[in-house]
Amino acid sequence: MGTSMKIYKFGGTSLGTAGRIKKVADILAGALQQDKIVVVVSAIHHVTDLLLDAATKASNGERSYCATLEELEHLHLSIASELFSGPLLDEVGAAIRAELSDLNNIAQGVFLLRELSEKSLALVMSFGERLSARIVSSCLQERGMASFTLDARKLIVTDSNYADARVDMHASVLQIKKHLAVFDRVPVVPGFIAAAPDGTVTTLGRGGSDYTASILGAALSASEIWIWSDVDGFFSADPKRVRDARILPYISYSEAMELSHAGARMLHPLAVQPAMKAGIPLLIKNSFNPAAKGTRIEKATPPEMSRPLPVTGLSSINNIVLLNMSGSGMVGVPGIASRLFSCLARHRINIIFISQASSEQSITLAINPLQAAKAKKILEEEFSSEIGSRQIDHLLIRRNLAMVAVVGNNMSGHPGVSAQLFETLGKNGINVIAVAQGANEMNISLVVESHDEDKALNCIHESFFLSQRKVHLFIAGTGTIAKSLISQISAHRLHLRKENDLDVVVCGIANTRRIAMDDNGIDLQNWKTLLIPRVEHHGIEEYLKLIRERNLHNTIFVDCTASARVAEIYPDLLLANISVVTANKLGMAGPWPLYRRIRDAQRKSNARFLYETNVGAGLPIINTLHDLKNSGDKIISIEGVLSGTLSYIFNELRKGGKFSDIVRRAQEAGYTEPDPRDDLSGADFARKFLILGRELGFTLEYGDVVCESLVPPEYRGEMLVPEFLDRLSSVDAWYSDAAEKAAAEGMTIAYAGEIREGKATIGVKQVPLSSPVAGLSGSENMVVFTTERYRVTPLVVRGPGAGAEVTAGGVFADILRIASYLV
Ligand code: ASP
Ligand code: MG
């Protein structure tokens, strides 16, 4: 044996089965080659819960406590029979039976009296650790490691607060030194249990074996205290809630304490103190993966491990209530807080969180929900005279809340941490209900709705720990635009990750019939095969409900439909702080009340709403207009051609040829809607001008846009497409006349729109040959901005204004714009 001495404490899961206990023996066999070891054990997995359960049942007069005790006996005996054989098995088996028979007697007493004092409960609970210590010690012996059990009741002295006893450190150190001054066999000590000065058993609170280990380590000046559990160490956040959480190789004592108090289940919150005082490092190790380095808890960061990050870790308590006491009678009255706290302390109600603003008008406390009703009652009694005289209002209790703690030594004196924290929460629409930060500046605790807990943890974690940020997309529609968008994202995703540290994750794709959802990202190569039929509800409302239930951070809803019903939900999305990118015009060009609701929601929301592709597909028209307006330019007029089909028809007319022939050719080449009258009516074109008009601040309805339809009235009704095309030649002469007349004046004809002085008009117009509109070719779109700054030569945006690829590209660009705002 070497010179150093270590404490190894094994938690319940590390002792969960005979196989696990053998692994523990392996670990110890290896460790004993170098060090002297004192072993501390928890009860076998679930045993403490079963004991509590049996005791509670017995005290309620439920006979089923007997079945629970049988289950306990069976559990221990079956583990023993797997581990041992021959006389050793007889011996251990007899010991287990004897202990359980004692336990049975106690439980029967509780059952008969229907009374369970904390003293009897502590006695019942002590059986778990006593049994596991016995089994582990025998297992070591069986493997040739000399060992003995040492009852913790001889070692740790506490007060008589049986359930959560307070340790008398001085007395305990004397006892420990006395019993463990020298030993040549491996001591196995039951954790969690201790004794009051009169010798009755007490317990150190749930999870208290860690505390036992730390007390022993400190008393014996161990070189290290190793806490073996079933995870690889402290994580930057709970990995069950935050997928990208990472192991922290090193944290300080104070960080470990802050994280443990705030819900991280790695360590009993009190376990750090004795080790810290004695300057002994604590190691968190995984008995299921002993090769993992684990987390080392020590005083100061070794320089090679020092982190540049201000935040070390996050943890959360997912069920708390807030208790609020307020009233004008509290201002400047000394002693209110002291009465409040001592009253709670007298009734052993633990306060998780405190916040009081400098106005002193109210104090907010967070406590365990199970104690809320009691707390309210006793405080109302305590302050009954103040409440009677209205100096203090009735106590308010708010439920369904979670507390998130952001912890780090480096936060102290590091400005900007809380700014960053609240910014990311705000952008994700997470309402912060209460905040507390102590002057040591190493813990900022916030209270949020339970529903927002995971979202808060994820966005805070991403903001402080990850260079790469995520946006989560939910796409509506699976038509040509959606298809192009998905393939563009798929092709470009890796690049964005590498170059922009941005991960664009598509979490949902849905149409009215089918849906695919995956929070971790749908496989974009195979998304079509992943769509499954939607059950029951097929509407957009149901999709919205699913998205809201997910409540992922940095969520963007992407509308690739042409559905009015989808457009109707934009306000709800925005009010739920979900950003929206849309290629669907039916929101911005929808009825004025819908348009107003979208705008109002946008103002109230922290989320963004972008719709560049509503006008001219991917061409930068809306953005250009915003830039002009925001930089103080005055828009005099907007003119343009915003229909690819109509652009094509008039560009061809300009070369000569008959109107009806050109329409037929366009239809055959697929440049038009299946029914070309949908293009010739100018309706879609008019919607774009409606949007531009509204952008300029005019109150316009669709009906206010004066739009000349190129479909003669007699051809509008039921007439089928082939008949329409055949009859269209009747208008050819009109177009050739109009073209000739224009040519005589050095002009040409075009189907174009214009907004000037609040009036939007669209139709066949004469334009000078020098006009940019006359120079269009193919199916190009164009918008001409004449402004105060661009008066002599107007600002022109020109290019293809339709097509799945360019539209999807525009949608993608909007998504990235929102991403760069969010992250
Ligand atoms: N067995 C006790 C409990 O389950 C103590 C411990 O495991 O640390 O709380
Ligand atoms: Mg534990």
Side-chain angles (χ1 to χ4, degrees):
M1 278 201 191
T3 46
S4 92
M5 200 271 282
K6 290 184 178 138
I7 312 291
Y8 273 29
K9 178 257 162 176
F10 294 95
T13 47
S14 299
L15 307 170
T17 61
R20 299 296 334 150
I21 295 174
K22 285 185 189 157
K23 286 270 178 336
V24 165
D26 291 342
I27 290 172
L28 285 169
L32 286 165
Q33 308 281 317
Q34 278 112 47
D35 299 307
K36 279 180 90 141
I37 308 270
V38 174
V39 178
V40 176
V41 292
S42 288
I44 287 169
H45 193 39
H46 281 323
V47 165
T48 309
D49 292 331
L50 288 172
L51 289 166
L52 180 59
D53 189 41
T56 316
K57 281 178 183 157
S59 73
N60 291 336
E62 294 168 36
R63 277 199 184 279
S64 56
Y65 82 86
C66 294
T68 311
L69 292 185
E70 273 161 33
E71 188 183 340
L72 279 163
E73 184 171 271
H74 176 76
L75 175 75
H76 288 95
L77 285 177
S78 70
I79 287 180
S81 66
E82 263 189 73
L83 288 174
F84 315 119
S85 57
L88 185 56
L89 176 58
D90 295 343
E91 193 190 306
V92 179
I96 292 171
R97 284 198 188 86
E99 292 283 10
L100 273 140
S101 136
D102 275 359
L103 180 56
N104 221 326
N105 292 337
I106 298 163
Q108 198 186 4
V110 171
F111 175 77
L112 292 173
L113 295 169
R114 303 282 193 276
E115 190 186 78
L116 180 62
S117 66
E118 293 207 336
K119 187 173 173 181
S120 342
L121 181 61
L123 178 59
V124 171
M125 303 259 268
S126 73
F127 279 81
E129 269 72 8
R130 278 152 57 193
L131 287 165
S132 65
R134 178 69 215 244
I135 293 176
V136 169
S137 176
S138 300
C139 179
L140 295 183
Q141 266 170 332
E142 208 257 348
R143 296 278 298 269
M145 291 168 263
S147 166
F148 67 108
T149 55
L150 180 53
D151 195 326
R153 286 175 288 186
K154 292 192 192 141
L155 304 178
I156 298 182
V157 186
T158 68
D159 65 6
S160 313
N161 189 358
Y162 297 96
D164 245 319
R166 196 199 294 269
V167 174
D168 178 340
M169 221 23 127
H170 184 70
S172 303
V173 169
L174 291 178
Q175 292 301 312
I176 295 166
K177 283 191 168 151
K178 185 170 121 198
H179 284 92
L180 287 168
V182 277
F183 55 88
D184 44 17
R185 293 173 299 155
V186 181
V188 179
V189 179
F192 178 55
I193 62 176
D198 66 359
T200 36
V201 63
T202 59
T203 59
L204 304 180
R206 294 303 305 266
S209 309
D210 299 337
Y211 193 19
T212 309
S214 184
I215 296 167
L216 288 180
L220 297 172
S221 304
S223 64
E224 285 169 354
I225 300 163
W226 292 34
I227 307 287
W228 292 87
S229 68
D230 57 353
V231 284
D232 281 344
F234 263 95
F235 279 83
S236 52
D238 181 351
K240 289 197 198 82
R241 293 169 181 278
V242 177
R243 228 167 67 91
D244 300 313
R246 49 186 63 178
I247 286 283
L248 301 169
Y250 167 85
I251 57 177
S252 69
Y253 291 121
S254 42
E255 288 169 332
M257 272 197 279
E258 295 285 354
L259 288 169
S260 306
H261 275 290
R265 265 165 225 226
M266 291 308 310
L267 207 54
H268 187 281
L270 294 179
V272 178
Q273 271 174 9
M276 179 174 78
K277 280 206 186 128
I280 302 170
L282 281 156
L283 271 89
I284 307 294
K285 294 280 293 178
N286 187 356
S287 76
F288 291 66
N289 180 20
K293 279 219 150 32
T295 299
R296 196 178 167 87
I297 304 168
E298 221 171 336
K299 184 158 180 262
T301 324
E304 71 279 8
M305 294 243 213
S306 84
R307 278 182 305 265
L309 301 174
V311 175
T312 301
L314 311 177
S315 65
S316 63
I317 300 180
N318 47 41
N319 195 4
I320 60 160
V321 299
L322 280 186
L323 203 84
N324 192 301
M325 190 164 103
S326 57
S328 52
M330 288 168 62
V331 183
V333 181
I336 298 260
S338 126
R339 274 169 64 200
L340 176 68
F341 296 130
S342 25
C343 173
L344 292 172
R346 262 199 317 279
H347 291 85
R348 311 249 318 273
I349 292 174
N350 182 37
I351 303 169
I352 302 170
F353 167 105
I354 306 170
S355 163
Q356 181 190 1
S358 60
S359 70
E360 300 178 37
Q361 290 257 23
S362 81
I363 299 182
T364 303
L365 305 174
I367 58 175
N368 185 318
L370 296 174
Q371 297 181 310
K374 181 172 167 198
K376 183 168 154 67
K377 188 167 152 270
I378 57 168
L379 289 175
E380 281 176 347
E381 278 162 21
E382 170 75 34
F383 291 98
S384 62
S385 78
E386 284 86 351
I387 293 173
S389 62
R390 304 257 167 100
Q391 286 168 288
I392 290 180
D393 305 332
H394 280 278
L395 276 124
L396 291 180
I397 289 190
R398 191 160 168 181
R399 293 181 185 276
N400 299 324
L401 304 174
M403 189 193 79
V404 172
V406 181
V407 171
N409 278 351
N410 293 350
M411 275 163 46
S412 135
H414 192 299
V417 176
S418 53
Q420 187 177 339
L421 176 64
F422 292 109
E423 186 185 349
T424 160
L425 293 171
K427 282 178 175 170
N428 275 286
I430 297 168
N431 185 32
V432 176
I433 296 161
V435 190
Q437 181 197 295
N440 69 1
E441 295 183 49
M442 59 173 298
N443 180 334
I444 303 178
S445 297
L446 4 123
V447 176
V448 299
E449 299 274 356
S450 289
H451 175 62
D452 283 331
E453 182 186 351
D454 284 9
K455 187 180 184 182
L457 287 170
N458 275 283
C459 69
I460 298 170
H461 189 266
E462 189 175 278
S463 161
F464 284 103
F465 291 90
L466 305 182
S467 54
Q468 183 170 298
R469 309 298 186 80
K470 276 188 186 143
V471 289
H472 298 110
L473 306 189
F474 289 86
I475 299 175
T478 54
T480 52
I481 295 174
K483 284 191 185 111
S484 298
L485 176 65
I486 293 167
S487 70
Q488 288 179 13
I489 294 172
S490 172
H492 205 54
R493 190 170 170 199
L494 206 65
H495 178 87
L496 284 172
R497 271 198 217 146
K498 277 204 203 121
E499 300 297 317
N500 300 37
D501 279 330
L502 177 71
D503 195 7
V504 179
V505 188
V506 178
C507 299
I509 303 175
N511 59 32
T512 49
R513 285 159 296 109
R514 285 164 358 120
I515 189 164
M517 290 270 241
D518 187 345
D519 293 359
N520 299 323
I522 296 165
D523 173 6
L524 298 183
Q525 306 288 328
N526 299 309
W527 65 275
K528 283 184 206 149
T529 61
L530 298 171
L531 291 172
I532 53 166
R534 294 178 67 177
V535 277
E536 287 177 64
H537 306 287
H538 300 175
I540 189 65
E541 296 77 15
E542 179 67 11
Y543 192 34
L544 173 60
K545 199 176 134 224
L546 294 172
I547 297 170
R548 295 183 67 162
E549 274 167 14
R550 294 292 192 281
N551 204 22
L552 301 176
H553 68 289
N554 299 340
T555 290
I556 306 178
F557 177 84
V558 184
D559 184 2
C560 297
T561 71
S563 152
R565 276 188 65 190
V566 177
E568 292 265 345
I569 69 156
Y570 299 162
D572 295 337
L573 285 160
L574 292 168
L575 293 176
N577 287 298
I578 298 169
S579 294
V580 177
V581 170
T582 178
N584 175 3
K585 285 185 269 298
L586 298 183
M588 296 316 271
W592 181 256
L594 173 61
Y595 175 80
R596 276 302 348 147
R597 280 199 299 124
I598 297 172
R599 288 300 195 203
D600 288 344
Q602 223 182 323
R603 245 189 305 279
K604 288 183 197 142
S605 171
N606 291 337
R608 292 282 156 114
F609 178 71
L610 294 182
Y611 48 94
E612 176 60 80
T613 52
N614 280 3
V615 179
L619 296 179
I621 294 170
I622 303 281
N623 275 314
T624 306
L625 186 50
H626 287 171
D627 286 348
L628 291 172
K629 277 193 342 191
N630 295 340
S631 63
D633 203 350
K634 293 255 153 27
I635 288 84
I636 297 165
S637 72
I638 302 176
E639 293 157 281
V641 176
L642 286 171
S643 155
T645 316
L646 292 166
S647 176
Y648 172 81
I649 291 168
F650 281 84
N651 298 340
E652 290 298 300
L653 266 181
R654 214 163 288 133
K655 295 184 196 156
K658 285 195 193 134
F659 182 76
S660 62
D661 287 348
I662 298 168
V663 172
R664 189 183 289 278
R665 251 190 285 141
Q667 201 251 5
E668 280 161 10
Y671 292 169
T672 71
E673 295 294 321
D675 185 341
R677 284 171 292 187
D678 290 344
D679 298 299
L680 295 177
S681 73
D684 190 52
F685 196 136
R687 272 192 212 104
K688 295 173 190 167
F689 265 86
L690 173 63
I691 295 173
L692 291 176
R694 287 175 171 176
E695 289 300 319
L696 293 183
F698 301 116
T699 306
L700 292 176
E701 272 294 6
Y702 181 71
D704 299 327
V705 180
V706 181
C707 173
E708 178 185 357
S709 170
L710 302 187
V711 186
E714 60 277 23
Y715 300 165
R716 283 179 200 170
E718 300 281 282
M719 188 183 286
L720 295 174
V721 174
E723 188 187 348
F724 165 70
L725 287 172
D726 289 344
R727 298 241 217 135
L728 193 59
S729 54
S730 65
V731 300
D732 287 347
W734 186 88
Y735 285 97
S736 46
D737 282 0
E740 254 168 54
K741 246 186 248 153
E745 296 175 43
M747 313 261 264
T748 180
I749 56 170
Y751 189 89
E754 179 182 46
I755 304 175
R756 202 182 286 275
E757 285 158 12
K759 290 223 161 48
T761 52
I762 295 160
V764 181
K765 299 185 179 167
Q766 284 196 352
V767 293
L769 283 170
S770 59
S771 147
V773 170
L776 285 175
S777 66
S779 60
E780 282 173 337
N781 279 23
M782 170 181 280
V783 173
V784 181
F785 296 100
T786 304
T787 73
E788 235 164 53
R789 291 181 198 145
Y790 294 93
R791 194 194 280 272
V792 182
T793 312
L795 174 63
V796 175
V797 179
R798 167 180 173 177
E805 278 297 305
V806 290
T807 308
V811 169
F812 199 0
D814 273 350
I815 292 170
L816 297 178
R817 242 172 242 129
I818 293 184
S820 68
Y821 155 76
L822 284 175
V823 303

